[in-house]
Amino acid sequence: GHMSEVNHVAFSGDGQRMASVGDDGTVRLWDADTGRAIWATKALLLNPVRLLTHAGWQHLESGQKNDAFPTGASWAKGLEIDARLSDNTTGRHFLCLVTHDNYAELWDMQTDTRQWRAKVPNVLGVAEVQNGCLLHTPTQVIRYSSDGQAHPLSVSAPINTVSVVANEIMVAKQSVVHRFTSAGQPIATHGLSPGLTAVSQIRLRASSPPILVVGFEDGSVEFVSTEQSARPRTVQSVHHGSAPVSKILPVSGGIVA
């Protein structure tokens, strides 16, 4: 089963399957009647798209299994054996991972070398930014540069959630979203309604200001304008569910929440 706390569970429409996600960084699928694990994954890599599951590595573009790393790369072994969290969402050749014994690591996948390793307790999330790693704990957000130097972002605890979209870091507190550049420089702070649980952003055009997409503990999702000229602030409610919004993903033509 999960090696850490389970924070979300969902059942299939017929009640025969159950999906769970935990703080160990894995998503798992279960037989609801027997409790038998059917499927689990803890890493998704890009360029090419590869998935690490309980059955090994799989190229999603070709459908081939267990052929992703015939040479047994050290960073791949680290993912398979030690990692509980990982990120390679930029598609570049750097990989951030967090181990079960609370070490954060940055790997260069091209040279198969570990760039640095740092002890960081209580990591809730990790993201690859600017050839470094962004780590999120309950009390702080830290950007580690490519040389392993730690640069805490200027935001106070408690921290509800952190998201990285389009080279921008967004940190959500109970009723505030702080925006930073990928280098950790402050951009703006936006006051919102209480109960924030998720944050992301979209742009209508490449040159237009971002529109925040925020989720709340009551299941609602809102689009919020970041234009300084918007008086009052433009807010549009687009969804209201029955459970807290845990994640918002920007996709082509819209969002998935």
Side-chain angles (χ1 to χ4, degrees):
H2 288 281
M3 299 185 68
S4 187
E5 181 178 350
V6 174
N7 50 45
H8 193 72
V9 172
F11 286 87
S12 62
D14 59 10
Q16 295 182 3
R17 297 288 184 267
M18 182 182 73
S20 61
V21 59
D23 286 342
D24 60 359
T26 65
V27 177
R28 298 174 185 266
L29 185 65
W30 309 85
D31 185 305
D33 291 330
T34 66
R36 180 176 59 86
I38 299 172
W39 185 85
T41 182
K42 65 177 181 179
L44 175 65
L45 307 180
L46 304 179
N47 295 329
V49 182
R50 292 156 291 179
L51 187 70
L52 174 60
T53 76
H54 65 290
W57 288 95
Q58 179 177 357
H59 279 294
L60 297 187
E61 294 171 324
S62 67
Q64 297 175 333
K65 295 183 178 180
N66 304 319
D67 62 348
F69 306 106
T71 59
S74 296
W75 63 264
K77 291 179 181 178
L79 274 176
E80 295 165 358
I81 299 171
D82 298 324
R84 68 176 181 87
L85 297 171
S86 64
D87 188 66
N88 170 243
T89 52
T90 66
R92 293 191 289 262
H93 57 89
F94 287 100
L95 170 72
C96 297
L97 63 84
V98 177
T99 67
H100 288 288
D101 55 354
N102 295 317
Y103 280 93
E105 301 178 353
L106 176 67
W107 285 82
D108 185 327
M109 295 186 290
Q110 282 188 342
T111 61
D112 195 25
T113 55
R114 187 170 63 195
Q115 304 299 292
W116 51 260
R117 191 172 195 248
K119 185 79 170 183
V120 188
N122 304 317
V123 175
L124 300 177
V126 60
E128 183 221 335
V129 291
Q130 276 204 341
N131 298 339
C133 301
L134 186 76
L135 303 178
H136 162 211
T137 77
T139 59
Q140 60 182 337
V141 181
I142 311 169
R143 186 182 64 84
Y144 281 83
S145 52
S146 57
D147 60 1
Q149 295 296 309
H151 307 276
L153 271 61
S154 56
V155 58
S156 60
I159 296 164
N160 287 17
T161 186
V162 177
S163 178
V164 179
V165 178
N167 292 319
E168 189 170 304
I169 302 167
M170 291 161 287
V171 181
K173 295 166 63 67
Q174 177 66 10
S175 59
V176 174
V177 172
H178 299 278
R179 294 167 51 216
F180 299 85
T181 67
S182 57
Q185 300 301 313
I187 297 174
T189 298
H190 306 274
L192 300 169
S193 302
L196 282 169
T197 56
V199 61
S200 187
Q201 66 170 246
I202 60 172
R203 292 178 187 264
L204 300 180
R205 296 178 301 276
S207 59
S208 64
I211 296 174
L212 293 182
V213 187
V214 291
F216 296 87
E217 57 190 9
D218 65 356
S220 61
V221 176
E222 294 180 350
F223 283 58
V224 182
S225 172
T226 63
E227 290 188 87
Q228 297 299 316
S229 60
R231 296 289 187 272
R233 185 183 75 245
T234 304
V235 178
Q236 181 183 3
S237 180
V238 294
H239 171 72
H240 198 292
S242 58
V245 180
S246 59
K247 191 78 172 178
I248 299 174
L249 300 175
V251 296
S252 179
I255 63 165
V256 175

